Amino acid sequence: MNPYLTSLIAIVTRESLRFINQRSRFLSALVRPLVWLVVFAAGFRAALGLSIIPPYETYITYEVYIVPGLCGMIQLFNGMQSSLSLVYDQEMGSMRLLLTSPLPRWWLLFCKLVAGVAVSILQVYVFLAIAAAMGITMPPAGYLLALPALVLSGLMLGALGLLLSSTIKQLENFAGVMNFVIFPMFFLSTALYPLWKMAESSQLLRDICAFNPFTHAVELIRFALYQSFNGWALLWVVLCLVLFFGLSLVGYTPTPGTGRGKGRS
Amino acid sequence: MSALDIAQVSYSYGERRALDDVSFALAPGRFSALLGPNGAGKSTLFSLLTRLTVTGQGRIRIAGHDIATDPRAALSKIGVVFQQPTLDLDMTVARNMTYFAALHGLSGRLAQARIDAALDRLDMRERSREKVRALNGGHRRRMEIARALVHNPEVLLLDEPTVGLDTASRRAITDHVHELAGGGLTVFWATHLVDEIAPQDDVVILHRGRVLAHDRAETIAAGKPLTDVFMAMTGAEKTPV
């Protein structure tokens, strides 16, 4: 078998097995969005009126609105958790094993990224299945069309995690970044409220939301789930993916004499 | 051709010079020890040899491949055992080995044959179905050495591999690796423990980033205990080894 494919399969298998072995991680990955769906959405349903906005063709309940945002949230947490495991791997040494492979470093990091995305997509579909069991369903074809959107959004958010892990040396530093990255990205996005709703309270907040890559990841998923295509969101997600992955490769490339670059002792 | 050829390598962490004009070459099929006290620059040198760190000063060639210009060929020729364990504790020995083999592009029957052979060399095959967490420290180390041999490297690098092991395990690991060198593999073993070195081994003594000596252990010792000579060279107080 091709060595590139061999390494990709091995890295994805390793990450998937590690995820399945960590039952508490699997459980919390599911409970988190379900709590938002069941508790938060129920409370907000009465408070928040939603007009008909694309891709929706009719009035929708708030539970229906936040499902794509919660899919994005799963991927956001997973992207950050994957990078947390990279920081852990660096501290524990297993990252060295990866980086001393004769395969190109960019490929090895890309494999890590793909492994994280595979795990996140598994979580998203289990969440969507539970949501469907609760009566919150999407058009049947939407479940399939969402897959490429989830791959791209997962890659983009994973690349952001990779970038963060390339600049963070210790696990302790990572906890702070989780708070400064996950929560602002999630709340300043269209995951919980549409842009027009945000504009009612503050134009600045609306502009920040429109700039936030996570907004575009959520919209890409939302449109795909409703069998629509959002070219602008796709462009943003792809551009951010290229930017984040490119910068993380720079972070992981050892630089002569300065002691920079990950994996050093 | 030398198995490992290091020429005028220097490396600094900011103002601090960790390696200063280091040059030596290792003969193929020999056990060579890199002996130095803590902070001598051993781990920095190993980082450079494994390309986890790179330097703009000097040249490193592994089995004839320059690590700066042909890193992939150079890395394919080395097996590495890091000072810090790099195992997935909740996976079996076999799965850890398969994962590593795949990182070197090996899969299927070829990978399995190489894994079995490597485990056999270290007397670890009967443990291949056990989870790594169930192994003691000595067996984990042996497994890491077996893993480093899966892709048939020409040079085996070990960075203080006996740290944290009891005396019996330390002796067993040291003997095993000496046997590997006897079988034609070039071994480069970093340590600060003189008793891990046999009189006929090659020794590079590194101190404060500089090579103080490179010769047979018995030649450097010149009839005296190697510990005393090493202590005298590095100016350290004599401590039990």
Side-chain angles (χ1 to χ4, degrees), chain B:
Chain B
M1 185 180 66
S2 303
L4 187 66
D5 189 357
I6 297 170
Q8 296 166 313
V9 168
S10 297
Y11 189 84
S12 299
Y13 293 102
E15 293 296 304
R16 193 173 71 80
R17 203 130 173 100
L19 293 174
D20 189 5
D21 199 25
V22 170
S23 297
F24 60 86
L26 301 186
R30 303 264 315 146
F31 184 105
S32 301
L34 176 66
L35 181 63
N38 291 331
K42 301 190 296 293
S43 289
T44 301
L45 184 57
F46 267 63
S47 278
L48 292 172
L49 294 177
T50 51
R51 206 177 166 265
L52 291 172
T53 308
V54 296
T55 178
Q57 294 167 285
R59 198 195 69 227
I60 295 170
R61 293 174 78 84
I62 297 165
H65 303 284
D66 191 315
I67 200 158
T69 57
D70 197 3
R72 292 178 57 193
L75 288 174
S76 70
K77 300 293 178 192
I78 56 169
V80 193
V81 178
F82 293 103
Q83 188 175 345
Q84 206 176 18
T86 55
L87 297 165
D88 281 322
L89 297 181
D90 291 316
M91 291 186 190
T92 62
V93 169
R95 193 162 279 286
N96 269 278
M97 300 287 281
T98 310
Y99 173 66
F100 179 82
L103 291 183
H104 283 261
L106 299 170
S107 62
R109 267 180 282 182
L110 175 63
Q112 195 53 53
R114 295 274 191 90
I115 289 167
D116 289 345
L119 287 172
D120 277 340
R121 281 171 94 172
L122 275 294
D123 295 335
M124 285 288 293
R125 192 158 164 189
E126 72 278 10
R127 296 190 179 268
S128 67
R129 300 283 155 217
E130 290 182 30
K131 280 198 175 178
V132 173
R133 198 178 284 283
L135 303 180
N136 64 33
H139 283 130
R140 288 184 193 182
R141 267 299 179 207
R142 260 203 247 181
M143 202 225 109
E144 283 194 288
I145 295 168
R147 187 180 61 178
L149 299 174
V150 162
H151 56 297
N152 284 347
E154 291 185 25
V155 183
L156 179 62
L157 304 174
L158 306 102
D159 187 8
E160 305 205 19
T162 58
V163 165
L165 299 183
D166 60 40
T167 311
S169 301
R170 202 154 70 81
R171 173 61 61 86
I173 296 276
T174 313
D175 290 348
H176 264 296
V177 176
H178 273 89
E179 281 169 25
L180 291 174
L185 185 71
T186 305
V187 173
F188 194 38
W189 172 289
T191 185
H192 62 275
L193 301 170
V194 177
D195 66 343
E196 292 176 350
I197 302 168
Q200 64 278 16
D201 292 340
D202 290 335
V203 179
V204 177
I205 296 183
L206 191 70
H207 182 50
R208 292 182 181 155
R210 297 182 71 92
V211 174
L212 300 186
H214 179 204
D215 213 324
R216 290 270 172 122
E218 55 199 357
T219 309
I220 293 173
K224 290 180 241 166
L226 183 59
T227 307
D228 293 350
V229 176
F230 173 57
M231 294 295 175
M233 276 184 173
T234 56
E237 294 293 314
K238 187 166 181 176
T239 49
V241 288

Side-chain angles (χ1 to χ4, degrees), chain A residues 4 43 59 74-75 86 91-92 96 111-112 131 148 154 160 165 197 202 216 219 239 241 246 252 256:
Chain A
Y4 286 80
Y59 284 104
I74 292 171
Q75 292 198 304
L86 281 171
E91 285 206 338
M92 297 310 291
R96 292 179 182 192
C111 290
K112 273 276 193 189
L160 176 62
S165 75
K197 199 79 186 167
S202 161
H216 300 285
E219 292 310 306
L239 282 179
L241 164 60
Y252 274 98

Side-chain angles (χ1 to χ4, degrees), chain A residues 36-241:
Chain A
W36 279 87
L37 188 63
V38 174
V39 181
F40 183 83
F44 255 57
R45 182 166 39 182
L48 199 75
L50 290 175
S51 62
I52 300 173
I53 48 164
Y56 306 107
E57 290 166 352
T58 178
Y59 284 104
I60 48 160
T61 62
Y62 188 62
E63 285 99 327
V64 171
Y65 178 79
I66 68 164
V67 164
L70 295 179
C71 292
M73 184 177 90
I74 292 171
Q75 292 198 304
L76 179 63
F77 267 91
N78 195 77
M80 296 305 124
Q81 238 159 2
S82 299
S83 66
L84 180 75
S85 82
L86 281 171
V87 177
Y88 178 80
D89 280 356
Q90 282 157 23
E91 285 206 338
M92 297 310 291
S94 44
M95 195 65 182
R96 292 179 182 192
L97 198 67
L98 188 76
L99 296 180
T100 50
S101 155
L103 291 166
R105 196 166 279 201
W106 68 266
W107 174 254
L108 297 165
L109 293 172
F110 180 72
C111 290
K112 273 276 193 189
L113 202 55
V114 171
V117 174
V119 167
S120 82
I121 289 179
L122 175 73
Q123 293 170 35
V124 167
Y125 276 104
V126 173
F127 166 72
L128 285 173
I130 295 173
M134 290 164 59
I136 305 165
T137 55
M138 312 288 144
Y143 290 104
L144 194 63
L145 290 170
L147 183 60
L150 288 166
V151 170
L152 276 176
S153 55
L155 284 174
M156 189 270 280
L157 295 168
L160 176 62
L162 197 63
L163 174 60
L164 289 174
S165 75
S166 75
T167 58
I168 297 162
K169 291 175 200 150
Q170 289 175 327
L171 287 173
E172 294 79 50
N173 299 343
F174 201 84
V177 174
M178 297 281 279
N179 283 334
F180 285 106
V181 175
I182 289 188
F183 292 124
M185 279 192 92
F186 181 61
F187 288 113
L188 290 169
S189 76
T190 54
L192 298 178
Y193 342 90
L195 278 181
W196 67 265
K197 199 79 186 167
M198 198 63 103
E200 279 180 358
S201 60
S202 161
Q203 188 60 35
L204 177 66
L205 280 181
R206 183 244 167 245
D207 292 343
I208 294 172
C209 288
F211 185 74
N212 182 357
F214 183 66
T215 291
H216 300 285
V218 170
E219 292 310 306
L220 190 67
I221 297 166
R222 188 189 310 281
F223 275 69
L225 276 171
Y226 287 88
Q227 305 167 68
S228 299
F229 174 68
N230 188 331
W232 182 241
L234 176 68
L235 182 69
W236 260 94
V237 169
V238 171
L239 282 179
C240 289
L241 164 60

